[in-house]
Structures are given as structure tokens and as C-alpha cells.
Amino acid sequence: MSALRIDCVMSPDFSKSHFALFGQPVGFDIDAAALDQTYRDIQREVHPDRFANAPDAEKRIAAQWAMQVNEAYRTLKSPLARGRYLLKLSGIDTEEESNTAMPVAFLIQQMDWREAVVAARTAHDDRALEQLAKDKRSEERTLFELLAAQLSNVATMRDARETVRKLRFLEKLGEEIDLASEAMES
């Protein structure tokens, strides 16, 4: 049994941050290739199937450990989830569920995009949907750059809450675009 496997099963540290678990520095920018490789390495060691013949207590711990590893990986892999997690580590609530206040220009843009999705779907206009998806990705890139800058500076960290909420709006818009595309294909 490898040292990692013994350590994980016998005394896993469920209090480790996601960054510490994957050996990543705490910050918005991560080494995605190293994250992926470390995830595969850890999964090889803690996957519950490797503990099929282990005592029940070890099986439970391995399952819990695997769940934590999967959750941490999903969180760090997604820029939006990673930003949200960094704010949580700093004790800042994004208020996504309770605070829907947004700048008027942003809300108008969201309404325009959603109306354009409906119009493109109704007209079966693949090009319009592709353009909307492209525009959304461009806006996301801009907001992710802003989020990275905000999270790297204690003075602007609280401003990152609004950026995360904006990105959540864009995530939902992306889902609507995908649904419209799927509906047009069927």
C-alpha cells in the first residue's frame, strides 16, 4: 500500500483547503495541467474500488475522501466555482441567492441577450445562436480577467462578489443558448 493511500485512509485531513489538497497555491490562477495530473494520481490511490476488500470503516473513509477529492477538483477546475471558493475562504459571501441587484446596463444587456436567444430559436437561426455564444464567451473572458484582478487585491476582494454574480448570470445564459441549440436540432 502506498504512503498516500495509507495516509488518506488512516488519517485523511478533511479540513485541508482544495488548494492544499492539490498542491496548488491559493489564488485564482492555477496550473490546470498539474491540477488534472494530481487529480488522476489521487484518484488512483483513494478510489473506493481499491478498498473493496477493506474493512467497512476504511471503505467509508475512502468513499468520503473520494467525494472530497471530486468536489475539490470540480471547484478548482471551474473558474467561476474557484472564484466563489476563494471568496468563501476569505469569509465573503457572494450573496448569489439573496442579492440580485446589478447595474442597470448589465441587466439590460442580459434581457437583450435572452430576447435574442428566444428570437434565434423561434427563427431556427443557428448563426444567431453561435454569435450569441461567442459574445457571451467574450464577456466571460473580460469578467474572469476582472475577477482574477479583484481576487488578487484585498482592497477589491469584496467587489469580486458582484463579478461572480455577473458570471453566474452569464452561465445561465449559456445554458439557455445550449437548450435553444438542442431544441433546434431535434
Side-chain angles (χ1 to χ4, degrees):
M1 191 179 286
S2 78
L4 177 61
R5 186 172 176 200
I6 291 169
D7 182 47
C8 290
V9 174
M10 303 314 254
S11 60
D13 183 357
F14 293 116
S15 67
K16 273 187 176 179
S17 79
H18 296 347
F19 294 98
L21 180 62
F22 286 99
Q24 293 274 336
V26 177
F28 187 74
D29 294 324
I30 61 166
D31 182 339
L35 176 70
D36 291 341
Q37 183 60 52
T38 304
Y39 174 70
R40 286 189 298 274
D41 293 346
I42 294 172
Q43 276 296 356
R44 270 194 297 277
E45 296 299 324
V46 302
H47 195 279
D49 290 348
R50 293 200 58 171
F51 298 89
N53 297 320
D56 287 344
E58 283 187 24
K59 285 180 189 178
R60 280 191 301 278
I61 291 171
Q64 290 172 337
W65 192 239
M67 285 178 10
Q68 180 173 345
V69 168
N70 288 334
E71 174 61 28
Y73 178 73
R74 279 191 301 273
T75 298
L76 296 182
K77 189 77 174 165
S78 162
L80 178 55
R82 188 169 57 248
R84 190 181 290 125
Y85 182 68
L86 282 164
L87 287 171
K88 179 181 173 186
L89 288 177
S90 296
I92 300 171
D93 182 1
T94 60
E95 302 174 347
E96 291 171 77
E97 302 301 321
S98 61
N99 184 353
T100 57
M102 288 283 166
V104 173
F106 180 79
L107 291 174
I108 290 172
Q109 180 185 39
Q110 291 302 302
M111 290 186 327
D112 289 346
W113 277 346
R114 282 180 168 74
E115 288 173 4
V117 169
V118 171
R121 180 179 176 177
T122 302
H124 295 284
D125 189 345
D126 287 331
R127 287 188 189 156
L129 280 179
E130 288 171 13
Q131 185 60 49
L132 284 165
K134 182 179 174 183
D135 293 345
K136 180 199 74 79
R137 285 189 303 271
S138 175
E139 182 69 14
E140 280 177 330
R141 277 191 299 276
T142 300
L143 288 173
F144 280 128
E145 288 172 9
L146 175 61
L147 183 60
Q150 289 170 328
L151 290 170
S152 68
N153 184 340
V154 174
T156 59
M157 194 166 271
R158 290 203 177 277
D159 298 334
R161 291 181 303 183
E162 182 175 291
T163 304
V164 165
R165 289 194 305 268
K166 285 180 178 180
L167 284 161
R168 181 64 183 127
F169 270 81
L170 291 176
E171 184 178 70
K172 288 180 182 179
L173 175 66
E175 292 167 2
E176 290 177 26
I177 291 170
D178 290 344
L179 287 172
S181 292
E182 290 171 13
M184 288 172 32
E185 290 173 4
S186 57

